[in-house]
Amino acid sequence: VQLVEESGGGLVRAGGSLRLSCAASGSIFSINTMGWYRQAPGKQRELVAAITRAGSTNYADSVKGRFTISRDNSKNTAYLQMNSLNSEDTAVYYCTITYGIGVNSWGQGTQVTVSS
């Protein structure tokens, strides 16, 4: 059984910051890539950021310079530091994990709401 759990979402004013955490537990498999997707009402889910086990990162153009993804491999945890938030960042954020055996897992999602 694999469990992926996000936390850290909430309500923040425009220009503020939040840090999301993603913890993977209950798995015997090694983790390769960890990443964050988001989905706003009426829109498709989109990739926000991803990080490999070695630390290579990639970001959506809309968040470059504002968001930073990191990970602690010893804790099987990924983080998404979100700065300079704006209303377009309002969405449900999902953590996704790619395991070494070639399968993916998804978290339940955490709501991020940016107020004006």
Side-chain angles (χ1 to χ4, degrees):
V1 177
Q2 298 85 43
L3 178 64
V4 182
E5 188 171 28
E6 307 100 331
S7 63
L11 176 65
V12 64
R13 297 193 65 83
S17 298
L18 286 173
R19 177 176 289 186
L20 306 183
S21 297
C22 173
S25 62
S27 176
I28 64 172
F29 308 123
S30 62
I31 297 173
N32 284 343
T33 301
M34 307 184 77
W36 293 89
Y37 285 73
R38 67 185 181 187
Q39 187 167 28
K43 297 185 178 180
Q44 291 186 314
R45 186 174 298 186
E46 63 178 353
L47 177 67
V48 177
I51 184 168
T52 69
R53 185 172 182 84
S56 297
T57 59
N58 63 80
Y59 298 91
D61 289 341
S62 60
V63 307
K64 287 181 179 178
R66 299 189 297 120
F67 291 10
T68 302
I69 188 171
S70 61
R71 63 189 288 174
D72 184 338
N73 292 334
S74 67
K75 297 180 179 180
N76 289 333
T77 300
Y79 306 93
L80 185 67
Q81 179 67 45
M82 304 184 295
N83 299 326
S84 301
L85 287 162
N86 58 65
S87 61
E88 294 184 353
D89 297 315
T90 295
V92 178
Y93 284 71
Y94 299 89
C95 180
T96 184
I97 297 174
T98 300
Y99 293 93
I101 60 171
V103 300
N104 299 327
S105 293
W106 292 82
Q108 82 289 346
T110 185
Q111 176 71 49
V112 172
T113 302
V114 184
S115 66
S116 60

